[in-house]
Amino acid sequence: MNSIVYLVPALGILGLIVMIMKSSWVSKQDAGDDNMKVLAGYIADGAMAFLKAEWKVLGYFVVIAAILLAYSGTLVPDSHPTIAIAFVIGAVLSAFAGWVGMNIATKANVRTTQAARTSLAQALKVSFNGGAVMGLGVAGLAVLGLGSLFIVLVQIFVPEGAAATGLEMKTAIEVLAGFSLGAESIALFARVGGGIYTKAADVGADLVGKVEAGIPEDDVRNPATIADNVGDNVGDVAGMGADLFGSYVATILATMVLGQEIDASADAFGGFSPILLPMIIAGMGLVFSIVGTFFVRIKSETSSVQAALNMGNWSSIFLTGVGSFFLVKYMLPASLSIRGYEFTNMDVFYAILLGLVVGALMSIVTEYYTAMGKKPVNSIVQQSSTGHATNIIGGLSVGMESTVLPILILAAGIYGSFSFAGLYGVAIAAAGMMATTAMQLAIDAFGPIADNAGGIAEMSGLPKEVRERTDNLDAVGNTTAAAGKGFAIASAALTALALFAAFVGVAGIDSIDIYKADVLAGLFVGGMIPFIFSSLAIAAVGRAAMDMVNEVRRQFKEIPGIMEYKGKPEYDKCVAISTKASIREMMLPGAIALLTPIIVGFSFGPEVLGGTLAGITVSGVLMGIFQNNAGGAWDNAKKSFEKGVEINGKMEYKGSEPHKASVTGDTVGDPFKDTSGPSMNILIKLTSIVALIIAPHISEKPHTVSIDQQLNEQTAKEISVKVEKVLEKVK
């Protein structure tokens, strides 16, 4: 394979070294006065308590799933019991990636608040560097873990001189798929559980605090305010970290699976270049994301935070595109083919470039539909003037409309990348899109940090200008969070198609014919899965929010002096409600995602399962875009009132009737954008990975055996013939 394969974990280590340096810098910043430190301590303790409770439950799941995977690896020659070890490693690293993000976020939040006392530029610097720690940690762990495990598996399964397209390499990558399964499984539970936690607290705090009691969102008198700020960390940070870790790994794996089918024996890497390319691109993207972080800076209070973040994002995308050209020319042979489709190494570069463009366009479209001051958000603001119902109607309309352009962009991306390099082109386009995950996640994670910083400023009673600075960052953070989710759902669509193609190859089917009744039935069932998944997640938020509302009302009623700052709210009761509800309610949606492909595949075969996966992918992408954008638009419509908006010639501010209507819309949109919506991309990829894992077990073609096994069988037959001849002579 050449020593270039060792470059992959080396680049992962580089990312982790820079992460540690940035984490050290953030930790050294001033954390403010004692009151601020106490409040930040409450948030950090609540977040860690949730993670411990979640990890305890997920620990049982990982052990049971690993035992089942180890057993399944003994049943077919295309797999191996070591898939269980890969699964455990993927699960542990995914959970650890979430912890890395949450740990730095609970340090950066109060330091961002303190920095906002001096300037907007310093507040952005602290919050963005906190986000960068998470981005580099997630990408660094993914590149290091995947690259190292691949090297080990090749040493175990692939003898020296074996072809990259051989059965041995196929087995190694099938075992590597266990790593992705572990990462995506933890990501799903972390995202759903964290989403339920944060939105139960947020909805409860909003409905009683802002609407009924008329106090600010993060007022220290609100018993749910600590739980709300804890939720920002466990949902939007830890959950998001595990989410993008899983997405990153799944995209690289899908490309490697298809790359294994390509005969590239003319290259300088023993034919391994199509398999190695996506990992090298990921490592390169990590390096260019580090470079991009240095472009995120502003000079004055009037500078655009969004423009600064865009500068970092675009620079990393541009550098990755340029670097991919030289990488593809260096690694790949001049001509290649996959499943009869001929293409050149330059076609692969064009596919990567197209993936980067698709990712950038998805972010631009999402920003348009969710950013303050843009037409879609302004339309919701205007409709708030006539009440709560018209605000809801406006948000739903914006969310539905926002699916049109992203779907057209995705369709063009799929068609274009396939025309360049076949199915490998689709997969490598997704890998190119995900190459700058470290930067995307840094931009995404800075939002919850800024949100927490604003909460601490409000609870600490800091001057008005401090909250104005944190609100500026938070509003931009809402838009970047929505753009990040749009980016993730776009990668899910491309990756799902690549995993889908890999599943078809392993399962031994040539096509999926929807003219068949059972396949069409599977398609409809698959289309239903994202809806029931979303229903369960949103209903869970609703039930937990009801408990939260009742608890907050009880405390306002029974604890004397809360409103006069004389009585202290029982924050821990609200934290406990969110923790218990999220752990309890995350199980059923997770079970649906894991069990659906297993039940369909073993009951009806691979072709029906293929139809089901197609339904889940199409329906899930649409649901994800709709919910993410509707929720983001509702949120920024509410935030527009904090600066003041003109409706029918009159300025409206916080506390007005239109503002109350916008709070209702934001409350409805909260579980859309932070619970069910962002879970769609994990649902899509997780079901496809489970299908790929079980594909050898439900394959319609005879199970393949290795050359060594064939030789052993031939030897056994020869011995048997000789024994029979000897017996005949004895008789």
Side-chain angles (χ1 to χ4, degrees), residues 682-706:
I682 312 175
L683 173 69
I684 292 166
K685 282 181 277 198
L686 181 57
T687 49
S688 296
I689 291 167
V690 172
L692 183 62
I693 294 288
I694 68 171
H697 300 270
I698 61 174
S699 176
E700 291 189 352
K701 65 182 178 181
H703 289 304
T704 54
V705 294
S706 67

Side-chain angles (χ1 to χ4, degrees), residues 36-160:
M36 292 166 62
K37 292 175 183 176
V38 168
L39 292 169
Y42 286 151
I43 296 169
D45 291 344
M48 185 51 66
F50 168 78
L51 272 194
K52 287 179 179 177
E54 184 181 54
W55 285 352
K56 184 178 179 180
V57 174
L58 293 183
Y60 294 123
F61 161 75
V62 169
V63 171
I64 294 169
I67 292 171
L68 293 174
L69 280 171
Y71 172 69
S72 72
T74 65
L75 300 178
V76 290
D78 290 350
S79 188
H80 193 271
T82 50
I83 192 172
I85 298 174
F87 172 81
V88 172
I89 294 172
V92 169
L93 287 183
S94 181
F96 183 61
W99 177 85
V100 166
M102 195 207 69
N103 184 56
I104 191 62
T106 53
K107 293 179 180 178
N109 54 10
V110 68
R111 288 164 174 80
T112 299
T113 307
Q114 180 65 15
R117 301 176 82 164
T118 58
S119 69
L120 179 65
Q122 187 64 17
L124 173 63
K125 186 176 181 181
V126 175
S127 58
F128 178 75
N129 274 292
V133 169
M134 181 178 178
L136 295 174
V138 166
L141 285 171
V143 171
L144 174 61
L146 196 65
S148 301
L149 187 58
F150 176 73
I151 292 170
V152 172
L153 292 176
V154 168
Q155 295 293 328
I156 294 173
F157 293 105
V158 185
E160 189 173 349

Side-chain angles (χ1 to χ4, degrees), residues 5 30 90 118 215 277 331-332 418 422 438 493 518 556 576 642 660 674 710 721:
V5 70
D30 186 4
T118 58
I215 59 178
L277 182 62
M331 290 188 67
L332 295 180
F418 183 88
D518 55 354
F556 277 144
E642 294 169 2
K660 291 179 180 178
D674 290 323
Q710 293 172 10
V721 170

Side-chain angles (χ1 to χ4, degrees), residues 503 507 509 597 599-612 698 700:
F503 162 76
I509 53 179
I599 293 171
V600 173
F602 282 101
S603 300
F604 302 100
E607 193 171 357
V608 176
L609 177 54
T612 304
I698 61 174
E700 291 189 352

